[in-house]
Amino acid sequence: MTCRPDRSSRRRLSLGLALALCAGGAAVAAPAQLDTARDAVARGDTVAADVALDRIEARGVQPGTIAVLRGENCLLEGNLSCARQWLEPGEFAEGEALRGFQLLGRLERRAGNPAAAAQAYDRALAIDNRNPDLWVDIAEFRYTGSEEALAFDALAFALKLDPRHPRALALQARLVRQRDGLLPALPFFVEAIDAAPGDLALLLDYAATLGEAGQATTFLAASRSVAERGGANRALYQQAVLAARAGDFETAQTLIERVPSQGESDGAAAFRAIVALETDRVRNAQQQFERLYNRDPEDRVIARLYARALVRGDRNSAIVTIFGGRAASANADPYLKTIVARAYERLGRRSEAASFLDAAPQTTARGFSGIDALGPEVGAVAYREDPTRFVAVRDYVRALIGTNRSALARSVSEELVARFPDTRDARVLAGDAALADRDMRAALEQYERAAAIRFTDRLLVRIVGALEASGRSVEARRVAQSYLAKRPGNATASRIVAAQAANAGDWELARSVLDYLLRSSGSRDVVLLSLASQAAANLGDGENALRLAEQAMELQPNNGLAAASLAFAHERNGASREVARRRAGLNPDGSRYPRALNRLWEAARGG
């Protein structure tokens, strides 16, 4: 180093320390001063920690004396370059090296350098391989790297070393929630909170889990506790989410208005916009979704929500301008294609509407889409350059599936599983390749191995689909209902269970699940409205059957399922089959004809 102070970064060596080192000084920090700095870092008070550490530096101490504290404080502030200056040299005071390399591992993880993170953790393990806090870090590292099975092993070892370790118990609760569902995780959250009653983030997670699981009374108690401990805004936000999930968007709006929007995450901003849309503040919702869409046009969920908000405002020209080019892509979202097509229809541009409706996504007979603008030849280049890189293998396998080369897709994906047998994503990819190859047994085996690591909504869809394709519909129903029982209110599982119940003629179950979905997020979902109409008709509730079917037809007048549900509702209300189908706009052979002609026909003949 030079004897000239560098003021380009606040975390560089202070002038006092620089001068002391240049003069050959080697001052020692007082234990009380170090304790003050440690306490400030431990409670997350980065400003107080800065002050204490600046005072220590002014005494002219060696950099290694405070390197760990400086590095940790920089990480708390989110200043990775500052943290790297203090941690990367690996020059730590006696007894501090274990913590220093552990923090370096965290730094490399946050910087997106998994190989460097692994090296840092290896250096920490070489110092002490029985430190439970270090093993919790390793469990987190493995989990975020998709090595979920190894993550659970590391976590189990941490708990073996210290069964009451607060961070280990907190991580266990969160991982159990991901793997097994909401209800099985609750006892683990209680145990973790007992070990760390002051952990506000953990209490927030517990409250959120209670809310998602439908435990309203306990949720409100936990939420009040969060508010009392300084998390009032977060508690209000959670209560708003719970109200929205219950379909009470007016209450959600009242609650969310009390939460400052400044500095909120994109997810929170999207939720605020959804509530605005559901409470008929359409223009406000459009403006919020527009900001989010412009920030990340590739976010498929935001694109859908923004398009839906524009539909609600009947802004057809805007829909065509914003989404027309995107919807024209061969592998565009079918939802956006339909919305753009309807916008063209309302603008009177029927030929353009027809081109979008005809250009359904090109998929294989097995239901897989290829990657847009990336064929297997291109994917093979990246794969050959690094066949161990998961993204390269995934894209190559998907491209092979999309072009009906399932045998090669299976071979490549199985090589990946052989290299990473404990990685969930590798198992899912191998299952997809087996499914494309029509080997349901192999697909289910891979999916079930993946579900044992972490069961997700997308994996549920795959398992249920494979079971039903194998003629095991009863088992498919059991799997979906078990998944839903552990995750009450889960939208994906609810839709699957409702559809399965309808197919099996279990209309009571179908209606109960559909009622929940329509109260929460499905009030404008044509499929759900149509199924709910059929359930009501089968249960003798003709009035509701007609009302629900008419709602579905108003949303999508040309939807075949909605039309069939409306015809069925009319029939159950006493109309003959011929009259019922005519009123729904159906020809005798099941084809559609314009409902406007149907209305004229009814008027001319007196209905």
Side-chain angles (χ1 to χ4, degrees):
M1 62 171 289
T2 68
C3 295
R4 182 177 174 183
D6 184 351
R7 302 180 184 276
S8 63
S9 171
R10 186 181 174 198
R11 292 292 173 271
R12 301 274 174 89
L13 298 179
S14 70
L15 176 61
L17 175 56
L19 292 174
L21 289 176
C22 288
V28 178
Q33 292 175 319
L34 286 172
D35 288 343
T36 299
R38 287 192 188 98
D39 290 343
V41 171
R43 65 175 182 269
D45 189 343
T46 57
V47 175
D50 281 342
V51 172
L53 290 167
D54 285 344
R55 287 174 178 167
I56 294 171
E57 280 190 49
R59 292 175 56 86
V61 299
Q62 293 288 348
T65 304
I66 58 169
V68 168
L69 288 172
R70 276 295 197 196
E72 186 166 7
N73 205 48
C74 292
L75 283 176
L76 288 173
E77 292 178 325
N79 190 338
L80 301 190
S81 61
C82 155
R84 187 172 297 283
Q85 291 175 25
W86 290 97
L87 298 173
E88 192 171 50
E91 298 170 359
F92 307 117
E94 185 177 354
E96 297 275 306
L98 172 65
R99 182 65 174 169
F101 289 120
Q102 181 181 358
L103 291 171
L104 181 59
R106 292 183 188 176
L107 165 64
E108 298 296 4
R109 281 165 51 195
R110 290 175 63 177
N113 303 320
Q119 291 175 357
Y121 286 134
D122 283 343
R123 295 177 75 178
L125 286 171
I127 297 169
D128 182 0
N129 64 359
R130 297 185 65 80
N131 182 288
D133 199 62
L134 174 59
W135 279 104
V136 174
D137 270 38
I138 293 170
E140 292 174 342
F141 172 54
R142 287 175 171 173
Y143 194 79
T144 55
S146 297
E147 295 180 327
E148 291 94 337
L150 294 177
F152 275 99
D153 289 344
L155 179 59
F157 189 60
L159 288 168
K160 181 180 178 181
L161 294 170
D162 182 359
R164 297 290 296 167
H165 191 279
R167 285 187 63 224
L169 291 170
L171 181 60
Q172 177 179 236
R174 291 167 177 138
L175 295 192
V176 168
R177 180 178 60 186
Q178 289 288 334
R179 183 187 64 183
D180 300 329
L182 302 169
L183 293 178
L186 292 176
F188 292 95
F189 274 108
V190 171
E191 185 180 6
I193 289 169
D194 285 344
D199 190 333
L200 182 60
L202 178 62
L203 188 57
L204 276 163
D205 266 2
Y206 176 51
T209 305
L210 288 167
E212 291 177 29
Q215 309 287 310
T217 302
T218 317
F219 163 77
L220 290 173
S223 185
R224 282 193 292 270
S225 181
V226 168
E228 290 167 1
R229 300 184 190 190
N233 287 336
R234 285 176 284 185
L236 285 169
Y237 179 81
Q238 284 187 341
Q239 291 170 24
V241 171
L242 182 63
R245 284 181 174 154
D248 187 354
F249 286 98
E250 294 294 340
T251 298
Q253 178 63 37
T254 300
L255 290 166
I256 202 68
E257 282 177 347
R258 296 165 59 189
V259 181
S261 61
Q262 185 175 6
E264 69 184 0
S265 67
D266 286 354
F271 172 70
R272 194 182 292 271
I274 290 169
V275 171
L277 187 62
E278 294 295 336
T279 51
D280 293 324
R281 297 182 303 116
V282 177
R283 185 58 184 161
N284 181 285
Q286 289 171 352
Q287 291 170 346
Q288 293 184 64
F289 283 131
E290 181 180 14
R291 284 194 292 271
L292 291 169
Y293 179 76
N294 289 337
R295 194 175 301 166
D296 185 7
E298 298 306 314
D299 189 319
R300 181 172 176 171
V301 174
I302 293 298
R304 281 186 163 210
L305 289 168
Y306 184 25
R308 179 184 170 197
L310 293 173
V311 170
R312 289 283 297 276
D314 201 28
R315 296 182 60 193
N316 300 303
S317 295
I319 292 169
V320 168
T321 300
I322 296 167
F323 295 109
R326 180 174 183 156
S329 169
N331 287 320
D333 183 350
Y335 180 82
L336 284 184
K337 280 185 177 291
T338 302
I339 281 183
V340 170
R342 300 307 179 207
Y344 274 123
E345 280 184 342
R346 288 187 287 270
L347 291 170
R349 297 161 65 177
R350 298 192 178 281
S351 61
E352 290 159 295
S355 68
F356 276 94
L357 290 174
D358 292 341
Q362 297 300 312
T363 61
T364 68
R366 300 164 183 80
F368 290 91
S369 297
I371 301 172
D372 193 19
L374 178 62
E377 292 75 16
V378 177
V381 174
Y383 168 67
R384 292 192 191 101
E385 285 180 355
D386 187 359
T388 64
R389 190 165 68 91
F390 182 80
V391 172
V393 179
R394 180 201 64 195
D395 289 351
Y396 183 39
V397 170
R398 286 181 178 175
L400 289 170
I401 291 172
T403 52
N404 294 320
R405 296 165 66 180
S406 54
L408 181 55
R410 289 189 70 176
S411 175
V412 173
S413 63
E414 286 166 4
E415 288 175 6
L416 186 68
V417 169
R419 284 196 298 271
F420 304 105
D422 298 306
T423 302
R424 174 186 170 275
D425 290 346
R427 295 280 179 188
V428 173
L429 190 66
D432 289 348
L435 188 67
D437 204 30
R438 301 184 184 277
D439 188 342
M440 300 302 166
R441 182 196 59 77
L444 282 167
E445 180 181 347
Q446 296 290 0
Y447 290 151
E448 287 165 359
R449 293 282 294 274
I453 298 171
R454 181 161 63 97
F455 208 169
T456 62
D457 290 1
R458 289 186 177 182
L459 195 49
L460 173 67
V461 172
R462 286 171 161 89
I463 291 174
V464 167
L467 286 170
E468 290 180 343
S470 303
R472 297 158 64 182
S473 57
V474 173
E475 190 175 347
R477 289 188 67 188
R478 179 188 59 76
V479 169
Q481 291 178 20
S482 172
Y483 188 91
L484 181 58
K486 294 176 181 177
R487 301 161 179 81
N490 179 277
T492 300
S494 295
R495 291 176 71 95
I496 291 172
V497 168
Q500 289 174 331
N503 288 336
D506 188 349
W507 295 109
E508 287 287 358
L509 174 60
R511 182 167 67 174
S512 66
V513 177
L514 288 163
D515 283 349
Y516 162 77
L517 288 169
L518 291 175
R519 284 196 309 271
S520 53
S521 59
S523 60
R524 297 182 63 80
D525 189 307
V526 174
V527 173
L528 296 182
L529 287 166
S530 301
L531 287 176
S533 171
Q534 292 181 23
N538 277 287
L539 293 170
D541 188 354
E543 182 179 347
N544 265 326
L546 277 173
R547 177 182 62 82
L548 291 163
E550 286 286 1
Q551 283 181 348
M553 290 292 282
E554 286 173 9
L555 289 170
Q556 289 188 17
N558 294 318
N559 185 283
L561 179 60
S565 299
L566 181 58
F568 185 57
H570 278 302
E571 197 171 343
R572 285 302 175 100
N573 276 276
S576 69
R577 182 174 179 79
E578 180 185 355
V579 170
R581 294 176 72 80
R582 206 167 50 233
R583 289 176 177 173
L586 290 170
N587 283 316
D589 63 358
S591 62
R592 304 298 313 285
Y593 64 88
R595 293 194 77 206
L597 295 180
N598 177 44
R599 298 301 188 196
L600 290 172
W601 186 92
E602 288 181 350
R605 293 163 176 75

